[in-house]
Every structure is written in structure tokens, then in C-alpha cells.
Amino acid sequence: MTTVPTTAAQALTGLARLRPSGWLATPMPADPVDLLVRARRVLAADHPGVNGQISVVSARYTAAVFAVHRPPPGSSLVLKLHADPAAYAGETLAYALLADTAPVARLYAEADLSRSLLLEHLPEPADWTEATMPALLAERAAAVHTASLRLPGEAGEALAGFTLAALRGARAPAWITDPSAYGEVLAAHLDAYGPGLVPLGHLDLKPEHLRRRPDGELVLLDVESVRPDVTGLIDLVTLPAVLRQAGHDLDPDRVLGLYLDATAARGGNWTAGSLKNALRAYVAATGLQSLHGLDR
């Protein structure tokens, strides 16, 4: 009997590419005291004028997140430090793409030397008891996936090398297991969106990563993992599991319908058939073990 996934990670079984132990030369410190010392030094050196009580929100091998508590209420910030240069570069690129085109937390400042970002502090979680939440999460994900279609001209030109038009003529990424199937995925996106789309995907979708601003707007946190060649299909695969984790156990076909509606509202031209075919090609291209009913 197949186990129904209840987290995004479980839904993506087979896709993960584990790195060997010790792959990062200078990982983030494990000791909380060392982390706080580093955070204070980074603020003093690269973000002068940003003061306040610092607390560790999360820490892992590659990055650490801190809250910088400042009066008055509503003026606190999030400080994020990266140990991995590639992850830092990827997250700053993602914010450059999404800052004015998708509902994500605001980036206020960045510093290349310390690989640090100052972000909007959003302590209030979304209320997942509301019946409209599944459609809202699908809409938020679709907004990220289609963000490049709303970029101003100059920004769009700067990202021309990441568009579907450029990717179709390039070598498939190293993590792709079947380049021919990956070509089918790109062709399906070309039909759905046109050649100017940058196929963003791989949000770190979790119920706790949807937060409410003081004005009521719901936005996504943590775009560190977003890449310009993964496509939004990876997030569609995880949507049923994330919704289930949040208390909304929807039929996969219903989730597919919510995503179809959300992308159509953002300029997409998928049909249920073309989207299911693209998902099947994605499985072949990436080694993903199951679509958990999304292609039925």
C-alpha cells in the first residue's frame, strides 16, 4: 500500500540529491553562542544602524536565521546568514525576480561579504482553518512561477539567459536524469506560457511559511531554494501534501484544478491534459518516484 505523503519532502521522494558529509568547507556554527556572536558582528560591519535584541530562529549546516527585535512593534527584522555562497547567490537572485512581482517577504538589504540578508519580520502565521486557504496557496505558488512574465523590460532583458527560449537550446542541468524528457517539460511550458518565461520553482512550501502582514496580506517566506530551471511542477507535486499537513486533505484532481485556475489567472494556458502530460515527463526527467494521483 502506497503511503500518502504529508510533507513536501515525502512528496518528492526520489528527487533529492544528497550531498556527501562535509561538502561545505565552512559550515554554519552549531553552538548558539557562536551564532549570536557572528550575527552581532555581521550587523555591526555590514548593516550599521540596525540594533536590537537578537535571537536564533533556526540554524542548520548551510544557514542560520535570526530575529532582530527592535521597538516599536512592527519594526523588527529577520537576519539570514548563508554559509554556502551558491545558496546566497540563488536567494538574492530569487528576490531580485520576485520583489515586485510575487507575494513574498520583503528584502531590505543584502551584503555579499558576509552573505547576509535583512528581511521583513512576519511573526503572525496564516489561519489555515479558512476554507479558502487551498486556493490561496495555489495562487501564491502560481504567482512565483509566473513572476518573470511581469518583470519590467530592463529586468526581463537581464534574465534573458534563463528563459524557456534560452533553456531549450542549452544542455540539460546536471541533476536531470533524462534530458529528452526534460525537453518535453520545457516544450510543455513553452506552449503554456510562451518563450519569455523563466521557469522558476522549488519553493520551500510548508504551512508555517505562509505568513500574514499587518494589513492582512498573506505572503510566502524563504525563497532560498527557488531556481530558474526547475519549473513550477516541483511545487505542484508537493501542494497536496502541504495542504494535507495544514489540515486540508483534498483530492489530487481538485488540487490540480486549483493550480490550473491560478496559473490561468496569471497568463498560463495549461489544460488538465497538457499539465498531466508535463507532470509525467517531469517524473521521467527527474527520477521522482510518484505523482501521488496528480496525473490520473
Side-chain angles (χ1 to χ4, degrees):
M1 182 176 178
T2 303
T3 302
V4 176
T6 56
T7 67
Q10 291 174 4
L12 296 177
T13 299
L15 188 74
R17 299 293 184 266
L18 299 179
R19 301 194 187 193
S21 177
W23 68 271
L24 192 56
T26 54
M28 200 57 61
D31 187 287
V33 174
D34 292 340
L35 285 168
L36 289 171
V37 168
R38 178 176 291 197
R40 292 190 185 99
R41 286 175 177 169
V42 167
L43 287 179
D46 293 336
H47 305 285
V50 176
N51 302 302
Q53 181 181 351
I54 303 172
S55 61
V56 179
V57 175
S58 65
R60 60 185 192 277
Y61 187 72
T62 57
V65 178
F66 307 84
V68 184
H69 305 280
R70 307 192 305 165
S75 62
S76 295
L77 296 168
V78 169
L79 172 68
K80 185 169 185 178
L81 304 181
H82 280 281
D84 179 12
Y88 169 74
E91 185 161 16
T92 54
L93 173 63
Y95 276 112
L97 272 165
L98 301 174
D100 299 317
T101 58
V104 298
R106 296 184 180 102
L107 172 66
Y108 294 126
E110 60 193 79
D112 294 346
L113 187 61
S114 58
R115 295 191 291 272
S116 62
L117 303 99
L118 277 178
L119 300 158
E120 183 178 13
H121 184 251
L122 296 168
E124 185 180 352
D127 180 2
W128 283 99
T129 65
E130 298 178 12
T132 57
M133 291 302 290
L136 189 142
L137 183 61
E139 189 279 330
R140 294 298 186 264
V144 171
H145 300 160
T146 60
S148 60
L149 300 179
R150 298 181 294 280
L151 286 172
E154 187 174 319
E157 291 172 9
L159 293 164
F162 297 100
T163 62
L164 289 171
L167 290 176
R168 288 212 68 195
R171 179 178 297 180
W175 53 272
I176 289 295
T177 58
D178 185 337
S180 177
Y182 182 67
E184 292 179 33
V185 171
L186 295 182
H189 280 75
L190 189 66
D191 289 341
Y193 297 109
L197 180 82
V198 177
L200 293 172
H202 205 352
L203 289 158
D204 188 8
L205 290 179
K206 301 175 183 178
E208 61 267 30
H209 279 180
L210 191 65
R211 297 296 179 95
R212 185 181 300 276
R213 284 190 172 129
D215 64 3
E217 183 185 15
L218 291 171
V219 300
L220 293 166
L221 301 185
D222 199 350
V223 299
E224 172 188 338
S225 56
V226 170
R227 290 179 48 154
D229 58 359
V230 177
T231 83
L233 296 182
I234 191 172
D235 298 319
L236 174 55
V237 171
T238 69
L239 271 177
V242 175
L243 290 171
R244 192 173 296 115
Q245 188 180 9
H248 295 271
D249 193 358
L250 273 62
D251 183 85
D253 197 55
R254 173 61 178 148
V255 177
L256 192 85
L258 292 175
Y259 187 74
L260 283 168
D261 291 343
T263 53
R266 297 281 182 170
N269 193 33
W270 292 110
T271 65
S274 67
L275 188 52
K276 290 177 181 180
N277 286 336
L279 284 165
R280 295 184 190 109
Y282 198 73
V283 168
T286 64
L288 191 65
Q289 287 186 6
S290 175
L291 291 169
H292 307 286
L294 281 170
D295 59 333
R296 293 174 192 160

